[in-house]
Amino acid sequence: MRLFIIIVLISQSIFSQKYYTRTGSTGFKANVAAFEPVQALNKSTSAILTNDGRIASQLFISAFKFRVALMQEHFNENFMESNEFPKATFKGHIKDLDVKSLTGSKEVDIKGSINIRGIDKEIETKGTISKVNDKVILTSNFILLPGDFNIKIPSVVRKKIAREITVDLNYEFSKKK
């Protein structure tokens, strides 16, 4: 009986259609009016999506690009400590998703755990998923709080950085061959 269960689990893993991207776009904004915009974009997020809606993504913190080089340096060294915490990850599930039967565009609920600076935080958000030819496109945005990840913002710049960080993602998945 155990052997049968193991074979079933392995076959589900093997035959489950997977989609992936290595060029997903993850950005954030922490803008405050009247100050220099605090925002960055990472165009090298890796993510995988299974046919039944399981999703995982990973990005390197140092791959976020800012308009102002000094902001990027402070972000990596002082706020995110990207030498010590080089990656951020997300593992979760898109509820009620069957990619094989997906047509057009659909609003979805996404639930999972994000890990930044070694700290896990459960999040729930909405997103939009669509299928165009063999591509699956997922977009979403959500709010994160720096304090939830022990990110200390010095008093010198506290008024120049928003208390809530808006994270935007745009992933274009291709079938894994």
Side-chain angles (χ1 to χ4, degrees):
M1 184 64 169
R2 283 186 187 163
L3 181 60
F4 176 73
I5 292 172
I6 291 170
I7 290 171
V8 168
L9 291 174
I10 290 172
S11 67
Q12 283 182 335
S13 174
I14 292 171
F15 296 112
S16 176
Q17 183 68 54
K18 292 185 174 132
Y19 296 83
Y20 74 98
T21 184
R22 288 193 178 118
T23 58
S25 173
T26 304
F28 73 84
K29 294 179 184 129
N31 299 337
V32 174
F35 290 106
E36 180 79 29
V38 178
Q39 56 193 43
L41 185 62
N42 182 324
K43 293 183 179 180
S44 59
T45 303
S46 295
I48 191 162
L49 173 67
T50 63
N51 190 56
D52 64 354
R54 288 177 289 149
I55 185 170
S57 64
Q58 171 181 289
L59 60 78
F60 286 97
I61 298 297
S62 61
F64 277 103
K65 300 299 178 204
F66 290 75
R67 269 189 0 207
V68 178
L70 187 58
M71 256 188 221
Q72 187 164 331
E73 183 180 330
H74 287 300
F75 172 79
N76 282 299
E77 292 177 7
N78 303 331
F79 300 112
M80 298 301 291
E81 299 176 89
S82 60
N83 284 336
E84 187 177 346
F85 305 104
K87 297 184 276 188
T89 60
F90 175 80
K91 293 177 186 169
H93 190 261
I94 300 172
K95 296 179 186 176
D96 302 321
L97 180 65
D98 179 9
V99 176
K100 283 190 276 188
S101 64
L102 181 63
T103 57
S105 185
K106 168 181 174 178
E107 186 172 292
V108 292
D109 294 315
I110 305 167
K111 184 177 182 179
S113 178
I114 191 166
N115 181 291
I116 299 173
R117 294 175 39 98
I119 299 170
D120 290 313
K121 171 127 177 93
E122 294 295 316
I123 64 169
E124 286 187 51
T125 189
K126 298 241 181 250
T128 302
I129 194 159
S130 56
K131 193 171 185 182
V132 179
N133 299 323
D134 287 340
K135 306 273 186 193
V136 176
I137 300 164
L138 175 66
T139 59
S140 182
N141 63 37
F142 50 93
I143 302 291
L144 294 177
L145 304 176
D148 289 345
F149 302 98
N150 288 336
I151 298 170
K152 309 281 188 247
I153 301 178
S155 59
V156 174
V157 294
R158 190 170 293 135
K159 292 181 180 179
K160 297 179 181 181
I161 299 173
R163 295 176 195 259
E164 294 183 336
I165 311 302
T166 303
V167 179
D168 296 304
L169 60 91
N170 186 343
Y171 299 162
E172 185 176 296
F173 294 95
S174 299
K175 281 186 183 180
K176 188 169 184 175
K177 297 174 182 165

